[in-house]
Amino acid sequence: MTVENVVATAPSLQVVKQHPQKSNPTLEEELKQRIPQVFDGYQKEDLVEPFVVRWLEGVSREDYEKIDIVNRIKLTHSVEKYTGGRVSRKTIDSIIDKYFEGTLFKNFNPKTIVEKDGHTFVQDRRTTKFLSNFVLEPEYMVTRSSDTNGGGNIHENLYCFQMIVRNNNFDEPQVSKIMLRASDFDSLKVFQEATQKVGGRIVTGTQDTIAEFGVHVLNKPFPTVKYGSNVIGLDIIEGRKYFVTPHAVYDVETGNEVNHVVHMPENDINPVTEYKLGNLKYDPVKWREQIAPFVLRHIMKIQKKDTMLLLAGWLAAIPVEHVFRKMTGELSGFPHAMITGMNGGGKTVLATSLLPYLGYSNDAELLNFGGKVANIQSIDWSYNIIVIFDEYRPNEWSENERKGVERLIRESYGRSEDRKSNTSYNVRKFVRKNPMMMLGQMTTSDDANSERIIQIYLDPNFMNSNSPEAEEAKRHSREFRDYKDKNFWVGFCLWMAKQSEEELLRVYHDFKNEVVELFPDMKDRVRCFCAVVMTGLHFIEKLAEELGVPMEEVGYNASNIMLVPHMIAENRSVTQGETTDILEEFLDDLVTFGMTHGNTKSAVFGKNRLVQVYPTYLKNKHTWGKHDEPANIGNRKKVILVKLDAVINEVNNWMNKHYDEKLLNPVLKSYYDAGLENPNDALVLAPNGYRVNGIRYTVFDCDKLCERGFRKIYELWSEGQA
């Protein structure tokens, strides 16, 4: 930092004198007061001389030396302390002597910012140079830390200016609003980029002159100070609840728009442009009389009822996610949603139909994992706006990509602000965590994530059928998509935020107790998920009653709510605390195929065939995959090789099954990883790419497969049999 820059940015004496601690302080007391004011911003790369000049401004040598020597030593010792000890007291005394002698900065040529005729100039003793074709006039300053648990802190003030541009081509000046931070004045390039966001502006100069310009405009008086929130969604400021959007801020209690709180984004991701948040407006009269009744009459009917009961209940709970996330020992987080089903079943159509009603613009698009916006940043800007990821396809990702996404799901479940990192993504602090809805043909194979996700199965045949229910769903879906004003979400979040936490928790625990009676062996967290969805449906019913919409028109009743745990249990197969395993089903079907078809249809079982026993001593290098990862062979003398893609074709063709190698691969990898931790219990020894005679196989433990019925078809193996 240059001398001129430090002099310009050091606090002025006038600021100090505006807040005296006594009406008539002594010089010693006044200098003592000035020390923290002047030196508190000192950095190790700064020159100390300009700070000393500001500290002693207006003080003569004669007056300074009237302070007794002991107290002068105390003062300079305090200065040394405020420099962090980087400048000794002896050096400070030398600088003070030079200051009083008039030899300090003898050749210093200070710069001044001057505004004239609507332009800004930088002026020194010899020259005046053009800086910009505009002036900045303060409108208000935004400064505030959020009270919301996990809402994050605002570390840098935001300044709102009127940018007044006067060009020769215009008779009247052009006035526009611009929001700036102090860091926008760090360099000419940064400042140019900041000003160009509101239209092309002419800015010249150097880093030093731009820094001087920053000092000049930021020291102007700001007529109004506002609170800033870096959350989109529910926030608490000064003990009062607000719902914050990029467009406006609403008081939860009154529903009125307020002017003393503004949205103040903290990071580089701007959700308004990145995610097209165009339906976050709120007209209280129109919402109650038109928008909300329309949504209530349609949302349950745009897909199969079972699907929408789970999905609508989950969505309705999102505005009060903070209540669920802090329930330590039960949920300790808020579940994500995973909609699974085959291609063409309507997952994407359903998600894009919902997007505008959840705050997004009508033309907003679904995100893909690892797409335009980095995954971690894409869920780090709100607790109350969901992010929908399409194409959840772990079988097509690299190992690092798969682990990165799985870890992202796992760590975004809770509400803590811990720093998270992995090999694929930079270290980043989760300030907020958007609930996620993921669309894919398969659910996660990660055991930890399966307990953080509500799995919603989409019947692929429903919307393609001609049943009365399907025809009604198609009609409601068309009307839902074509409705003009989709500004539903802010009003619903405001309404939910007004519900008492006591009532919310009572309803939640009543539902959970009923689920416990229905499914005593269900995992506790899954019971909590059921209660969350049921609570959301309960409050949809309450809103309908309040707005005068009959539940017959909404499309469900209290008895339907009790179907939720049955549907979640069916989707997850958790009645015994276990998850559905596609690999176990495939192996059972393979045994059945061997017993019923054997080699009568084609050569499947036997030496050098699709399924064979293989002595391990025949192969020296037991590796798999492109990168020669170690196969978990250990001391096994024989293994079973399966040519997976070909065997899947045989089973599908002759048994009318629908197995997909892409869906099996991540499950195989999960079994392989588990086997590395417990080698004696390993079932899958190499998930794919174990080469024998130029052919790639999946490798299984021979004894473990025999326990699953393979011993019954040993006679089909010609040579190399056990």
Side-chain angles (χ1 to χ4, degrees):
M1 183 178 287
T2 65
V3 172
E4 303 98 297
N5 200 15
V6 177
V7 173
T9 55
S12 67
L13 178 65
Q14 292 177 346
V15 174
V16 179
K17 287 187 175 180
Q18 287 176 359
H19 305 283
Q21 294 182 4
K22 294 183 179 180
S23 57
N24 293 300
T26 64
L27 178 60
E28 174 193 338
E29 291 170 333
E30 186 173 345
L31 288 175
K32 187 176 181 180
Q33 292 173 23
R34 293 185 191 180
I35 291 174
Q37 298 286 342
V38 173
F39 288 93
D40 201 29
Y42 180 80
Q43 303 293 323
K44 63 181 181 179
E45 66 272 11
D46 293 338
L47 298 174
V48 74
E49 288 87 343
F51 289 86
V52 174
V53 171
R54 286 298 175 92
W55 178 51
L56 295 174
E57 186 176 359
V59 178
S60 67
R61 180 193 287 273
E62 180 181 4
D63 290 337
Y64 182 75
E65 290 182 348
K66 287 180 181 178
I67 303 172
D68 65 76
I69 186 66
V70 173
N71 286 323
R72 272 187 277 162
I73 292 173
K74 288 182 178 179
L75 287 171
T76 53
H77 181 74
S78 295
V79 172
E80 178 185 15
K81 175 185 174 183
Y82 270 88
T83 67
R86 289 183 288 270
V87 182
S88 68
R89 190 174 61 80
K90 183 177 179 181
T91 301
I92 294 168
D93 285 335
S94 174
I95 294 171
I96 292 173
D97 287 338
K98 290 181 180 180
Y99 170 72
F100 287 130
E101 291 170 0
T103 59
L104 194 63
F105 298 138
K106 188 174 182 180
N107 298 319
F108 178 50
N109 184 19
K111 292 180 173 61
T112 305
I113 301 299
V114 178
E115 295 175 1
K116 184 179 180 180
D117 298 329
H119 294 177
T120 307
F121 303 87
V122 59
Q123 190 176 67
D124 58 25
R125 292 173 181 172
R126 295 179 289 272
T127 61
T128 299
K129 296 181 180 179
F130 174 83
L131 190 60
S132 74
N133 68 333
F134 58 83
V135 296
L136 296 176
E137 292 299 334
E139 186 171 326
Y140 60 84
M141 178 173 64
V142 182
T143 175
R144 184 62 186 132
S145 293
S146 167
D147 294 342
T148 300
N149 178 30
N153 294 321
I154 296 169
H155 302 293
E156 190 176 8
N157 292 341
L158 189 67
Y159 303 88
C160 180
F161 293 95
Q162 283 190 345
M163 176 182 280
I164 304 172
V165 182
R166 187 180 296 277
N167 291 324
N168 296 332
N169 298 331
F170 297 93
D171 295 329
E172 295 294 328
Q174 295 176 290
V175 181
S176 56
K177 181 183 290 188
I178 183 171
M179 308 295 288
L180 296 171
R181 290 181 169 87
S183 57
D184 289 326
F185 296 91
D186 284 350
S187 71
L188 175 62
K189 182 180 179 181
V190 171
F191 186 63
Q192 286 175 332
E193 291 174 350
T195 54
Q196 286 170 358
K197 292 177 183 178
V198 294
R201 308 301 179 205
I202 302 172
V203 182
T204 63
T206 65
Q207 179 172 336
D208 291 342
T209 56
I210 295 302
E212 301 253 8
F213 188 24
V215 173
H216 171 74
V217 297
L218 296 180
N219 279 338
K220 290 183 177 183
F222 285 80
T224 306
V225 177
K226 298 188 178 186
Y227 295 111
S229 171
N230 51 22
V231 175
I232 296 180
L234 185 67
D235 201 358
I236 301 175
I237 298 175
E238 297 290 299
R240 195 171 181 87
K241 291 182 180 179
Y242 298 91
F243 195 86
V244 182
T245 80
H247 317 289
V249 178
Y250 303 94
D251 187 304
V252 168
E253 190 63 32
T254 66
N256 295 331
E257 185 177 342
V258 299
N259 294 319
H260 65 282
V261 181
V262 296
H263 177 239
M264 184 177 174
E266 188 175 26
N267 56 35
D268 296 333
I269 294 296
N270 183 353
V272 179
T273 56
E274 295 289 351
Y275 304 103
K276 298 183 178 180
L277 299 179
N279 283 310
L280 284 176
K281 301 177 180 63
Y282 175 61
D283 180 333
V285 175
K286 190 173 183 181
W287 187 85
R288 294 184 67 86
E289 294 181 358
Q290 300 178 34
I291 300 173
F294 173 83
V295 172
L296 290 172
R297 289 185 171 97
H298 285 77
I299 190 168
M300 297 301 303
K301 303 171 184 176
I302 62 175
Q303 247 287 347
K304 195 173 183 178
K305 186 174 181 177
D306 290 357
T307 298
M308 294 313 301
L309 278 171
L310 296 181
L311 183 54
W314 176 73
L315 290 171
I318 288 173
V320 288
E321 57 75 39
H322 60 282
V323 178
F324 298 117
R325 286 188 194 264
K326 67 183 182 182
M327 293 172 66
T328 305
E330 290 198 0
L331 278 165
S332 301
F334 189 80
H336 301 302
M338 174 79 77
I339 300 180
T340 58
M342 298 302 291
N343 283 341
K347 299 186 298 297
T348 302
V349 172
L350 174 61
T352 52
S353 298
L354 288 169
L355 265 182
Y357 292 95
L358 303 175
Y360 291 84
S361 303
N362 294 342
D363 61 344
E365 298 177 352
L366 306 182
L367 297 179
N368 287 332
F369 282 106
K372 178 181 177 183
V373 182
N375 295 331
I376 293 178
Q377 290 181 330
S378 63
I379 62 163
D380 187 28
W381 49 272
S382 176
Y383 282 117
N384 304 122
I385 311 294
I386 73 167
V387 173
I388 303 181
F389 285 105
D390 201 359
E391 304 296 340
Y392 178 81
R393 297 186 175 185
N395 52 296
E396 297 180 7
W397 299 334
S398 69
E399 185 70 9
N400 282 343
E401 288 173 334
R402 184 182 65 81
K403 288 182 178 179
V405 171
E406 298 291 0
R407 186 169 182 177
L408 179 75
I409 296 169
R410 187 165 59 251
E411 292 170 345
S412 59
Y413 169 82
R415 198 182 174 105
S416 67
E417 292 185 55
D418 298 337
R419 290 186 176 273
K420 309 297 181 186
S421 65
N422 55 50
T423 57
S424 301
Y425 305 105
N426 294 329
V427 175
R428 183 175 175 82
K429 186 179 183 181
F430 280 97
V431 181
R432 293 151 295 272
K433 299 175 182 178
N434 301 68
M436 286 192 288
M437 180 195 297
M438 293 160 282
L439 314 178
Q441 295 185 48
M442 59 180 296
T443 188
T444 176
S445 60
D446 185 282
D447 292 337
N449 282 342
S450 67
E451 296 188 8
R452 289 166 170 80
I453 291 173
I454 293 177
Q455 297 177 16
I456 304 173
Y457 175 70
L458 199 68
D459 185 347
N461 299 316
F462 175 72
M463 293 299 279
N464 296 320
S465 70
N466 296 320
S467 67
E469 185 184 2
E471 292 300 319
E472 184 184 17
K474 294 172 189 177
R475 177 177 65 82
H476 281 283
S477 181
R478 285 193 300 270
E479 294 176 2
F480 199 67
R481 289 197 303 270
D482 294 341
Y483 192 67
K484 290 185 178 180
D485 194 341
K486 298 180 174 68
N487 285 285
F488 169 75
W489 193 241
V490 172
F492 182 70
C493 288
L494 287 169
W495 184 83
M496 284 294 289
K498 291 182 69 173
Q499 309 307 307
S500 72
E501 188 169 318
E502 292 76 15
E503 180 189 7
L504 181 73
L505 292 175
R506 177 185 57 78
V507 171
Y508 167 82
H509 285 296
D510 286 348
F511 279 131
K512 185 183 176 186
N513 291 335
E514 294 190 52
V515 176
V516 171
E517 292 184 8
L518 286 171
F519 296 101
D521 297 325
M522 182 182 281
K523 290 184 178 180
D524 186 62
R525 184 173 281 181
V526 181
R527 288 198 292 253
C528 295
F529 289 175
C530 296
V532 166
V533 173
M534 297 165 82
T535 301
L537 291 172
H538 168 86
F539 280 96
I540 292 177
E541 184 178 2
K542 182 178 179 180
L543 176 62
E545 181 181 351
E546 185 177 310
L547 298 182
V549 180
M551 287 306 293
E552 293 80 9
E553 297 181 21
V554 176
Y556 71 93
N557 52 40
S559 62
N560 295 143
I561 296 178
M562 294 310 301
L563 296 175
V564 166
H566 295 275
M567 290 185 291
I568 289 182
E570 181 180 353
N571 287 349
R572 300 174 56 90
S573 299
V574 293
T575 52
Q576 302 300 322
E578 298 177 356
T579 58
T580 301
D581 193 323
I582 188 174
L583 178 60
E584 296 282 355
E585 293 179 4
F586 172 72
L587 293 176
D588 289 343
D589 284 336
L590 182 56
V591 170
T592 302
F593 174 81
M595 296 299 297
T596 57
H597 294 77
N599 288 332
T600 59
K601 302 297 182 182
S602 58
V604 176
F605 301 94
K607 184 177 180 181
N608 296 328
R609 293 179 176 176
L610 302 182
V611 180
Q612 62 175 302
V613 172
Y614 184 75
T616 57
Y617 67 83
L618 295 176
K619 186 174 173 65
N620 295 325
K621 188 178 181 182
H622 297 291
T623 60
W624 63 276
K626 296 179 180 179
H627 305 292
D628 287 339
E629 297 190 47
N632 193 15
I633 301 298
N635 296 322
R636 293 171 177 83
K637 295 182 179 179
K638 56 188 176 183
V639 295
I640 292 180
L641 306 182
V642 177
K643 185 72 171 64
L644 192 63
D645 55 349
V647 171
I648 287 175
N649 287 336
E650 293 292 334
V651 173
N652 287 345
N653 289 338
W654 297 108
M655 298 186 65
N656 195 26
K657 297 293 182 177
H658 303 282
Y659 291 109
D660 188 335
E661 184 183 7
K662 293 180 179 178
L663 302 184
L664 275 169
N665 279 335
V667 182
L668 290 165
K669 182 61 169 59
S670 178
Y671 268 83
Y672 167 76
D673 290 339
L676 293 178
E677 297 181 6
N678 299 287
N680 293 332
D681 296 327
L683 170 64
V684 179
L685 308 181
N688 51 50
Y690 184 87
R691 293 176 180 272
V692 174
N693 298 326
I695 300 175
R696 296 180 180 182
Y697 292 92
T698 297
V699 185
F700 292 89
D701 181 278
C702 186
D703 294 335
K704 293 291 187 297
L705 282 192
C706 287
E707 293 172 4
R708 286 166 167 77
F710 268 73
R711 190 175 301 278
K712 299 176 184 178
I713 50 177
Y714 258 27
E715 61 270 19
L716 298 175
W717 293 329
S718 52
E719 298 178 9
Q721 61 186 13

